Amino acid sequence: MNKSTLYKGCLEPIIMRLLKDNGRMYGYQITQMVKEITKGELQITEGALYPLLHKLEEQGILETELENVGNRIRKYYTLTKAGKKQTSMAMEELKTFMQSLQLIVNPKLA
Amino acid sequence: MNKSTLYKGCLEPIIMRLLKDNGRMYGYQITQMVKEITKGELQITEGALYPLLHKLEEQGILETELENVGNRIRKYYTLTKAGKKQTSMAMEELKTFMQSLQLIVNPKLA
DNA sequence: AAAATATACCTAATTTGATTATGTATCGGA
DNA sequence: TCCGATACATAATCAAATTAGGTATATTTT
């Protein structure tokens, strides 16, 4: 089993959490921040990230604005109002999930 | 996003952990114990469980013995020596993963 | 006694969420 | 000048689950 298998399914709430904390981020920045925060443990691949961002935008959870930086274009993502609501729920679920995992891994402490 | 999406990828270490703690378990018992420990939060589907148990047996991580209970057969799984070693590593990875998640969800506390 | 639910195993088809590979293009430093 | 970093994107593939189906015994409820 590949170690990266573990966070399959956690990518969406992770992105939402980062956007909630930082307000406005672009894709590449998200990959770098996750790498930094987790000291290289979680590396988001671009093939997973970009399609997911597009999906969330399509669902009205994220909205975008383009910004020119030099000759390049950056695509900034922000949580919509609906997206913020969704994020709160996602965080609750993530919290419950982590507690459940904790209960299994450490039944004595719980 | 479905809430059960979250623990996609965590099933294998969960099973290994339970077998490490309980020594000897059969499939149905694993589903029930997970449900009980997590107060219904994590429900392992049989379609995921049985093929995974078979795979782990094939890989020499688990070994089985059949036991007759009344007119029915129960298939008990136990960690092999190699399986115990694998489990230790899997637990390390799971721990690291959970810490990484914690770092993202709660950057201030970490 | 019959019906429903729980126990106990299993597999096949499909879905989903990722990886891997590939492509385009700009920017900065050795 | 070339390489690595920045910055976006998509297509093919893989892996791990869900959904749905099947078999059969045991127990509880009506």
Side-chain angles (χ1 to χ4, degrees):
Chain A
M1 158 138 128
N2 188 309
K3 98 194 255 191
S4 71
T5 308
L6 285 171
Y7 56 97
K8 216 179 240 266
C10 295
L11 196 49
E12 191 174 310
I14 285 173
I15 289 171
M16 290 166 89
R17 174 76 210 194
L18 287 181
L19 284 168
K20 191 195 170 111
D21 283 349
N22 301 288
R24 205 175 82 110
M25 298 183 80
Y26 56 98
Y28 187 75
Q29 187 186 10
I30 292 174
T31 66
Q32 298 310 300
M33 189 173 282
V34 168
K35 205 200 284 182
E36 206 191 319
I37 292 176
T38 66
K39 280 137 198 147
E41 275 302 320
L42 262 60
Q43 305 239 20
I44 297 181
T45 59
E46 297 184 317
L49 177 70
Y50 290 115
L52 180 51
L53 287 173
H54 301 160
K55 192 196 79 179
L56 293 174
E57 188 186 1
E58 216 179 290
Q59 292 176 349
I61 291 172
L62 302 181
E63 58 192 352
T64 60
E65 33 177 341
L66 297 172
E67 192 169 300
N68 271 67
V69 182
N71 269 356
R72 279 191 295 195
I73 294 175
R74 257 186 214 160
K75 200 165 173 184
Y76 276 95
Y77 289 88
T78 324
L79 285 165
T80 61
K81 191 159 184 178
K84 283 175 192 164
K85 214 168 166 180
Q86 278 284 119
T87 301
S88 298
M89 292 189 289
M91 288 310 107
E92 283 303 307
E93 283 172 19
L94 188 55
K95 203 176 143 192
T96 305
F97 161 70
M98 288 169 74
Q99 283 168 352
S100 292
L101 254 192
Q102 197 54 252
L103 282 167
I104 290 164
V105 169
N106 227 323
K108 288 147 204 165
L109 299 182
Chain B
M1 158 137 127
N2 187 308
K3 98 193 258 190
S4 72
T5 307
L6 285 171
Y7 57 96
K8 224 176 234 267
C10 295
L11 194 51
E12 191 174 309
I14 285 173
I15 289 172
M16 289 165 88
R17 175 77 210 193
L18 287 180
L19 284 167
K20 191 196 170 108
D21 284 348
N22 301 288
R24 205 175 83 113
M25 299 182 79
Y26 56 100
Y28 186 77
Q29 187 187 9
I30 292 174
T31 67
Q32 298 310 299
M33 189 173 281
V34 168
K35 204 200 285 180
E36 205 191 320
I37 292 177
T38 66
K39 278 136 199 149
E41 276 302 320
L42 262 61
Q43 304 238 20
I44 297 179
T45 58
E46 296 185 321
L49 178 69
Y50 289 114
L52 180 51
L53 287 173
H54 301 161
K55 191 195 79 177
L56 293 175
E57 187 185 1
E58 215 177 292
Q59 291 176 348
I61 291 172
L62 302 181
E63 58 192 352
T64 58
E65 34 178 338
L66 298 172
E67 192 169 300
N68 271 67
V69 180
N71 269 358
R72 279 192 295 195
I73 294 175
R74 256 186 214 161
K75 201 167 172 180
Y76 275 96
Y77 289 88
T78 323
L79 285 166
T80 61
K81 190 159 186 179
K84 283 176 193 165
K85 216 167 167 180
Q86 278 285 118
T87 301
S88 297
M89 293 189 287
M91 289 310 107
E92 283 303 306
E93 283 173 20
L94 188 57
K95 201 177 146 192
T96 304
F97 163 69
M98 288 169 76
Q99 283 169 351
S100 294
L101 254 193
Q102 197 56 252
L103 282 168
I104 290 165
V105 170
N106 227 325
K108 289 147 205 165
L109 298 182

